[in-house]
């Protein structure tokens, strides 16, 4: 019998635009304060891409870095998976942009709309593609230009201070070492809570999809029941981590590094507390980049890989929670 190949991340990359917006900059636009933002979320600054750019432009830079580390040419990719909640166009998806920018000929591109869990949902799909033997080299990207859809006036402050623009990418291939690679992925959704965090317009539930009236109502801006989202996040993320641990016969102590979605530092601290793990075993970059949704986890991963914090054989547990609600976990041995 032929053993099922394990999928392994063989390259990582990230890109953030150079333009920094600090909490103090936001104080000039709305009634908020550096103190409120830091205390509630841990965020100090974030990046906003220059006008004219979309998530695919940021994704291109992150992808080039990941392909370079992997030693894989874009023309050798079998599949591109693009996760974003802030796509370049309503359609076609951002995967079409990136596929063209990378000069990939007719390589397929799959678009994923799973918000802050987009990267781990994409990892679940990429793992299935590789372990089934269907594809060998898969590029998975999470990229966001949140800054285009934020209300920078005081009514929008509860959401707008939290988000930033950025991209993270990984290249996956069958592992040449059966012990290393993606050990498990678990993905979940509970659509009953879809209205607790959303951007409604443009929407095919209304005609036209967007109108002066819907713009005046602000339906093109995100709306979030922050406390509800927080409450569910601090329950679902530890649950998903527990599932990953049980699936792999591990205890929390067996994990060398926890990488969580970067929605709020307080959420991640609460998850580590529930796991009875020291904060030193997690890594966050939310203070510099804010919440970059589908890009947050691969951006963290790229930083820990390039800084040398991660060594071969390290066990890394990832978890996310976001709009939908959708949440996920993944375990890998680096
Ligand atoms: N600056 C100053 N004051 C503010 C701001 C701001 N930017 N935003 C809200 N406030 C005010 C509110 O109006 C409220 O004032 P009031 O007491 O006079 O009514 C007060 O601050 C407290 O507001 P809360 O919303 O209760 O603040 P809370 O402590 O819950 O923190 C936060 C808000 C940070 C948004 C938190 O609820 C949170 O992190 N929620 C989860 C976010 C998340 O996980 N999102 C999922 C991922 S995103 C995705 O999937 C797209």
């Amino acid at each position: 019998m032929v053993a099922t190949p394990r999928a392994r991340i063989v390259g990582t990359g990230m890109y953030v635009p150079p333009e920094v917006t600090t909490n103090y900059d936001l104080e000039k636009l709305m009634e908020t304060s550096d103190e409120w933002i830091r205390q509630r979320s841990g965020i100090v600054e974030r990046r906003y891409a220059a006008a004219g750019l979309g998530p695919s432009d940021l994704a291109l830079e992150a992808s080039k870095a990941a392909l370079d580390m992997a030693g894989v040419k874009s023309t050798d990719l079998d599949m591109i998976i693009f996760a974003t909640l802030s796509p370049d166009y309503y359609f076609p998806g951002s995967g079409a942009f990136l596929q063209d920018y990378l000069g990939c000929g007719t390589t397929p591109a799959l678009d994923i709309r799973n918000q802050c869990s987009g990267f781990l949902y994409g990892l679940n799909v990429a793992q299935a593609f590789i372990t089934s033997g269907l594809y060998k080299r898969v590029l998975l990207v999470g990229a966001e230009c949140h800054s285009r859809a934020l209300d920078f006036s005081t009514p929008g402050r509860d959401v707008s201070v939290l988000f930033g623009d950025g991209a993270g990418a990984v290249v996956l291939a069958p592992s040449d070492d059966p012990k290393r690679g993606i050990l498990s992925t678990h993905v979940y959704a509970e659509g009953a809570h879809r209205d607790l965090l959303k951007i409604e317009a443009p929407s095919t539930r209304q005609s036209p999809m967007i109108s002066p009236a819907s713009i005046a109502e602000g339906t093109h801006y995100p709306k979030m029941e922050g406390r509800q989202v927080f409450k569910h996040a601090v329950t679902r993320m530890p649950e998903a981590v527990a599932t990953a641990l049980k699936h792999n016969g591990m205890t929390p102590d067996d994990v060398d590094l926890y990488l969580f979605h970067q929605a709020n530092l307080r959420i991640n601290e609460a998850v580590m507390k529930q796991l009875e793990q020291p904060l030193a075993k997690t890594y966050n970059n939310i203070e510099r980049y804010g919440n970059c949704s589908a890009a947050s986890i691969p951006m963290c991963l790229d930083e820990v890989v390039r800084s040398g914090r991660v060594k071969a054989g390290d066990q890394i547990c990832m978890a996310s929670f976001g709009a939908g609600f959708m949440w996920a976990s993944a375990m890998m041995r680096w």
Side-chain angles (χ1 to χ4, degrees), residues 26 30-37 39-42 85 114-117 144 146 154-163 197-198 222 224-231 233-234 237 261-267 291 293-294 321-326:
L26 293 179
M30 62 186 84
E31 285 172 33
T32 190
S33 66
D34 174 62
E35 191 192 4
W36 191 97
I37 301 170
Q39 273 182 5
R40 296 297 217 285
S41 70
L85 70 72
N114 293 82
Q115 298 70 247
C116 297
S117 291
E144 306 287 356
H146 282 313
T154 298
R157 66 182 180 175
D158 59 325
V159 180
S160 53
V161 301
L162 302 174
F163 289 94
L197 177 52
K198 63 181 175 183
M224 177 169 76
E225 297 290 335
R227 291 199 169 186
Q228 286 292 333
V229 178
F230 193 103
K231 208 176 85 188
V234 297
M237 281 170 56
H261 173 52
Q262 303 289 295
N264 186 330
L265 204 54
R266 306 285 99 84
I267 292 178
N291 179 351
S293 291
F321 182 89
F325 291 149
M326 296 191 180

Side-chain angles (χ1 to χ4, degrees), residues 42 71 81 96 129 148 172 176 190 216 234 255 297 300 324 326:
I81 305 175
F129 281 151
R148 315 298 189 227
L172 292 117
D176 48 11
E190 194 174 19
V234 297
V255 174
I297 289 181
C300 283
M326 296 191 180

